[in-house]
Amino acid sequence: MRLPPLLAVSSVLLLSIVTVYGEESKSLYAPGDNVLELDIDNFDSMVYGSPRGYFIEFYSSWCGHCIHYKPQWVTFATKLKDWSSVVQVSVINCADEKNSPVCRAHAIDAFPTLKYFPPHSKSKDDGQKYTGDKYELPSMALDVAKFVRADYVAQRPPTWPKVEALPSTIILEQLWSAMSPSQQILVAVIEEDPFLTGFATVIGFGKNPFVEAVVMPSSHPIAQQFSGSVLPTLLIFKRDNPNAPDFVSKSEMSVFQMADKIDEYITAVADTVHQGPPPPAAVIPGAAAEDVVAAPAPTKTLVPLNFEQFKVQQLDLSSALHYMLTQEIPRKPVIDNENLAALKGWIHLLRRYVPGTAPIRRLFYRLDEWTQLQSYSITAESWIAKVAELQTDLGHPLPANASWVACKGSKPYLRGYTCGLWTLMHAVTVQAYADEKDNHGFKPVVEVLEPIHQFIYHYLSCEICAKNFHHMTEANELSLVTRPEDVILWLWRAHNNVNRRLAGDASEDPSYPKRQFPDAALCHDCIVNGVYQEGKVLEFMLRYYTDVRTDGLVPTPGYKVTEFEDGKVQKVAVKHLNPKFAIHANNVDKLEETEARLRQQQVDANPKHHWRSLDSDGYAGAASAQSADRSTFYLIWFVIVGIALAFAYLKYRQNRSKFWKTFYYYNDYKLFPWSSNSPANIRSKYVA
Ligand SMILES: Cc1cc2nc3c(=O)[nH]c(=O)nc-3n(C[C@H](O)[C@H](O)[C@H](O)COP(=O)(O)OP(=O)(O)OC[C@H]3O[C@@H](n4cnc5c(N)ncnc54)[C@H](O)[C@@H]3O)c2cc1C
């Protein structure tokens, strides 16, 4: 049977990627944020073997929750900036693909994740995940102090301040006399074991030239003399009045409030030491006094609708697929149990409805075939290897890096992947509806919405986003969906709920404010009296999500087309492919099945092929593999015959005289068989 040549596309369309971001940094953090920025180049050398600990936020710059959390982390880092000789507050951006190996090695599959690495850590195994409340900054500081105290007890690092309680025998005079003259302030924190507020204060002010900080229990004689009514109590003594505290806390103070109070004293002392006047307030020449005091609050200007964001771009879809396959899924070092089930459901869904060219669909066909065979678990390494193998076999249908067109944000860390993922999910639901609307056996929840839900819940590394979506499936009664069109409408509504919730949020791109979709400017009929008309929205969604643009995609000249006949490769030709060329999933299934059958027929017809792995013998390499086989076959025979001839020649050289004598003897004997001479006589006649 002759297959149409174009059905057997063997290697296709290399995407040439539009450079979108230039050199702009993808980091959420800036130099003034008091965090140390780690990356793949400096992570190991900074963190391992260091005399200080590291408290690291593994974050993803596109993750809305991380964008939201950033101010908290900056505040925390600023509060702990004086702890840096003991513990350094740091960040690493896992959305930057170059850092992926580090984040994968540390098993980071949800963002943001905080980890503490003790001083002299040796490997990733020394990192301890922080499980406390990361929004309660003072208590998180105490938890870090607890880590530090444990390290102090275990290692006694010589450069650290003494993270220990004051012995009960030490009196106030001894403390003052042990202090250097520049230390004008003595701070004492009175509290009970485990002394965390006190230790945090000691760590924070241990290197300050003006302060000596100590910790003591309430049973200590100094505490007995001056302690306030609440614990922990803060006492601040000044050198000019060494025997009576200048400040005694009367009510509960957090560790940060204590630090602020101590800072007030330090500022006063530093001012006295430097004799410098406080810096004057900045005054703009010619400005009225009230302008300086209170600048008018900026009024929110209406950002005009940017229609470029409302295009479904193949490059956004392909970039989202690339990022999902190579970064998001293999964040889990081992994929098993419900994670494996969720992955199988999602990849199968993509096999059926993924938008894109034939090679993209073939990639998901093959990935699905492989994934469904994995019974117990898949390691991140084997997943990455399988995706890379399929990419190579199919001529790299997905781009090597994520590049965004309609999903491009005004900053490199805004929009991007989640925008591409929403677009992909909507395109999938639209394709599912288009294919299945007349299929009475179609189950919209089981076959489409639940695989989407499970994938988001288990694999969207923006942890809070995933949880919010999960709650939405409960609140919006996913289980009640029955009509095929509801696969589109349920997701549309869910997305609009997210848009509503995030409007004005820190994660919103100011150039692309969140709106309800579709805007009246996109679909005039969809909104009547401010209310969406679902029938019209459905029609709009079908139009919108099937009109896939190819901006930024350029077909490279020359991809291969292989023609088969009777299970044999007839010819391989070079053709061009319009990047818009798409193929229906059913056709891809038939194509892949036919090719698999033909390959099997080839193997059955030619048992010589049995020793070769069918998997590695992809259809694209069939022609070259065949001729390679033939050459190997001839070469082996050539070598065997050559060796036999050489061996015969050597033997001949070695026994030359004997050979000829034997030859003559034998022939003589044969020539004169009737001779009365016995063979022994003949031998004695010829053999010397
Ligand atoms: C499942 C999921 C849950 C998320 N949860 C959170 C969260 O809890 N907190 C957080 O900060 N971020 C969350 N995000 C990210 C957030 O929704 C946006 O993706 C991100 O802020 C980027 O927004 P965007 O402006 O690019 O548009 P997106 O909201 O990403 O939308 C992408 C494109 O889809 C189209 N579109 C918009 N609305 C609809 C709709 N209703 N129906 C069909 N098409 C539409 C538009 O063309 C738009 O440009 C989540 C993302 C996903 C995928």
Side-chain angles (χ1 to χ4, degrees):
M1 184 185 73
R2 176 184 283 269
L3 287 177
L6 266 177
L7 270 184
V9 179
S10 65
S11 155
V12 197
L13 192 62
L14 291 171
L15 304 173
S16 79
I17 304 304
V18 181
T19 304
V20 179
Y21 292 143
E23 292 303 308
E24 218 178 329
S25 162
K26 286 183 186 169
S27 174
L28 284 184
Y29 294 89
D33 288 341
N34 295 311
V35 296
L36 177 74
E37 187 101 36
L38 297 168
D39 61 22
I40 191 163
D41 299 323
N42 64 13
F43 191 97
D44 289 3
S45 59
M46 291 280 219
V47 177
Y48 301 146
S50 167
R52 61 181 174 176
Y54 280 81
F55 194 42
I56 304 173
E57 183 203 16
F58 292 80
Y59 77 99
S60 167
S61 49
W62 54 256
C63 159
H65 185 46
C66 299
I67 295 172
H68 223 259
Y69 188 62
K70 178 199 155 177
Q72 310 275 336
W73 192 245
V74 170
T75 304
F76 185 72
T78 306
K79 294 283 185 198
L80 267 65
K81 77 174 188 302
D82 293 331
W83 298 34
S84 64
S85 61
V86 173
V87 59
Q88 175 65 53
V89 178
S90 312
V91 293
I92 180 165
N93 183 7
C94 297
D96 190 339
E97 290 189 28
K98 77 170 186 173
N99 295 331
S100 291
V102 178
C103 303
R104 200 173 302 124
H106 290 270
I108 308 296
D109 64 353
F111 299 117
T113 292
L114 308 181
K115 279 197 171 190
Y116 175 76
F117 290 81
H120 303 291
S121 286
K122 291 191 180 62
S123 72
K124 62 182 171 49
D125 300 330
D126 293 328
Q128 301 163 55
K129 189 169 174 177
Y130 180 66
T131 51
D133 185 344
K134 51 180 169 283
Y135 287 92
E136 266 303 313
L137 302 188
S139 71
M140 185 157 72
L142 298 188
D143 289 338
V144 175
K146 194 173 176 183
F147 284 135
V148 169
R149 162 71 181 168
D151 296 336
Y152 178 82
V153 171
Q155 302 186 20
R156 304 259 160 201
T159 55
W160 285 16
K162 285 191 176 140
V163 190
E164 53 194 30
L166 194 70
S168 58
T169 51
I170 304 285
I171 58 168
L172 206 51
E173 288 73 28
Q174 286 170 303
L175 281 174
W176 279 114
S177 58
M179 286 161 61
S180 74
S182 71
Q183 289 178 304
Q184 299 284 314
I185 301 162
L186 173 63
V187 168
V189 178
I190 302 163
E191 70 177 325
E192 303 306 349
D193 196 18
F195 306 110
L196 293 182
T197 309
F199 288 152
T201 308
V202 168
I203 298 164
F205 292 94
K207 295 274 173 183
N208 192 294
F210 300 114
V211 178
E212 173 71 15
V214 294
V215 184
M216 59 189 72
S218 57
S219 58
H220 194 282
I222 300 175
Q224 296 273 309
Q225 198 178 347
F226 302 113
S227 183
S229 50
V230 287
L231 289 182
T233 305
L234 174 67
L235 306 179
I236 302 179
F237 297 83
K238 286 166 59 175
R239 191 175 274 283
D240 53 13
N241 185 14
N243 295 321
D246 198 67
F247 176 83
V248 180
S249 61
K250 297 278 184 267
S251 56
E252 214 171 300
M253 290 176 89
S254 76
V255 62
F256 292 155
Q257 287 168 329
M258 286 189 183
D260 290 345
K261 192 74 193 167
I262 298 166
D263 276 336
E264 280 175 25
Y265 277 81
I266 292 172
T267 310
V269 169
D271 284 348
T272 326
V273 170
H274 298 303
Q275 303 274 312
V283 176
I284 304 163
E290 58 272 25
D291 289 343
V292 178
V293 174
T299 50
K300 202 174 175 189
T301 51
L302 206 60
V303 178
L305 204 60
N306 180 340
F307 283 93
E308 287 307 304
Q309 70 184 302
F310 298 122
K311 286 177 182 162
V312 181
Q313 294 283 359
Q314 183 60 50
L315 191 50
D316 289 335
L317 294 167
S318 299
S319 292
L321 290 169
H322 150 84
Y323 192 84
M324 176 195 88
L325 291 180
T326 63
Q327 308 295 317
E328 285 280 89
I329 292 173
R331 286 196 204 287
K332 298 184 195 310
V334 177
I335 298 167
D336 54 9
N337 302 324
E338 69 269 25
N339 290 327
L340 184 57
L343 183 65
K344 286 182 177 181
W346 172 246
I347 296 297
H348 189 66
L349 180 71
L350 291 179
R351 168 191 175 160
R352 292 173 71 181
Y353 308 119
V354 71
T357 57
I360 293 177
R361 283 182 173 266
R362 298 184 80 155
L363 188 143
F364 281 97
Y365 177 98
R366 293 180 187 194
L367 193 56
D368 183 45
E369 294 280 294
W370 181 80
T371 309
Q372 303 303 332
L373 289 177
Q374 312 306 309
S375 317
Y376 302 110
S377 63
I378 303 175
T379 61
E381 288 75 24
S382 61
W383 174 265
I384 290 169
K386 188 69 202 172
V387 171
E389 179 197 312
L390 293 178
Q391 278 272 74
T392 308
D393 284 356
L394 293 165
H396 295 276
L398 298 178
N401 296 300
S403 295
W404 310 107
V405 186
C407 285
K408 185 186 172 195
S410 62
K411 296 258 173 5
Y413 54 82
L414 292 172
R415 308 189 70 225
Y417 175 60
T418 51
C419 171
L421 184 58
W422 274 123
T423 311
L424 174 67
M425 295 193 301
H426 288 301
V428 162
T429 57
V430 164
Q431 188 65 49
Y433 171 74
D435 289 359
E436 314 292 350
K437 60 179 184 294
D438 299 324
N439 173 3
H440 298 301
F442 176 58
K443 298 188 185 73
V445 176
V446 177
E447 294 180 39
V448 179
L449 293 177
E450 197 52 36
I452 289 179
H453 166 215
Q454 291 303 325
F455 175 72
I456 293 295
Y457 187 50
H458 289 95
Y459 289 92
L460 184 59
S461 59
C462 173
E463 198 177 10
I464 294 287
C465 306
K467 284 191 179 144
N468 285 339
F469 189 77
H470 176 61
H471 292 143
M472 239 164 26
T473 59
E474 289 164 358
N476 295 2
E477 294 175 327
L478 184 61
S479 54
L480 297 185
V481 167
T482 50
R483 302 176 307 167
E485 57 267 40
D486 284 337
V487 291
I488 297 177
L489 293 174
W490 187 89
L491 196 68
W492 162 71
R493 256 183 249 113
H495 192 171
N496 268 345
N497 284 343
V498 176
N499 292 341
R500 192 175 300 113
R501 181 160 45 80
L502 296 181
D505 187 87
S507 64
E508 181 184 67
D509 188 330
S511 304
Y512 300 91
K514 297 269 181 282
R515 290 182 161 88
Q516 293 299 285
F517 180 93
D519 192 277
L522 283 178
C523 177
H524 185 66
D525 299 350
C526 289
I527 307 167
V528 175
N529 297 330
V531 179
Y532 276 118
Q533 307 298 300
E534 291 201 347
K536 296 289 177 197
V537 170
L538 183 66
E539 285 170 18
F540 169 80
M541 293 285 281
L542 283 167
R543 279 197 310 276
Y544 182 86
Y545 278 101
T546 47
D547 180 18
V548 181
R549 318 286 176 103
T550 54
D551 299 355
L553 289 177
V554 183
T556 52
Y559 62 94
K560 284 188 199 149
V561 178
T562 311
E563 186 182 320
F564 288 90
E565 190 177 299
D566 296 334
K568 298 224 169 58
V569 174
Q570 296 302 310
K571 61 182 173 194
V572 179
V574 174
K575 301 268 178 188
H576 296 270
L577 183 68
N578 182 343
K580 213 164 176 179
F581 173 71
I583 187 167
H584 194 273
N586 283 344
N587 294 342
V588 164
D589 283 11
K590 279 187 207 138
L591 178 62
E592 287 281 339
E593 281 157 16
T594 309
E595 283 195 10
R597 187 165 42 76
L598 289 174
R599 278 204 300 278
Q600 190 57 48
Q601 280 173 5
Q602 245 182 315
V603 169
D604 291 345
N606 189 354
K608 173 168 73 71
H609 280 195
H610 273 303
W611 56 269
R612 279 220 320 270
S613 152
L614 261 182
D615 255 10
S616 61
D617 182 16
Y619 72 96
S624 58
Q626 257 193 351
S627 64
D629 270 352
R630 216 171 290 134
S631 320
T632 314
F633 178 76
Y634 290 135
L635 185 70
I636 290 170
W637 275 110
F638 182 76
V639 170
I640 290 172
V641 170
I643 290 172
L645 285 173
F647 184 76
Y649 177 71
L650 283 174
K651 273 286 175 202
Y652 152 66
R653 290 287 302 265
Q654 191 185 355
N655 300 323
R656 192 174 188 174
S657 55
K658 189 176 167 186
F659 174 82
W660 288 111
K661 284 168 190 169
T662 309
F663 178 76
Y664 289 130
Y665 155 74
Y666 177 70
N667 284 302
D668 279 356
Y669 178 70
K670 271 211 323 193
L671 280 172
F672 310 106
W674 55 87
S675 164
S676 59
N677 290 343
S678 70
N681 290 342
I682 295 168
R683 195 180 299 116
S684 65
K685 184 175 163 190
Y686 289 106
V687 179

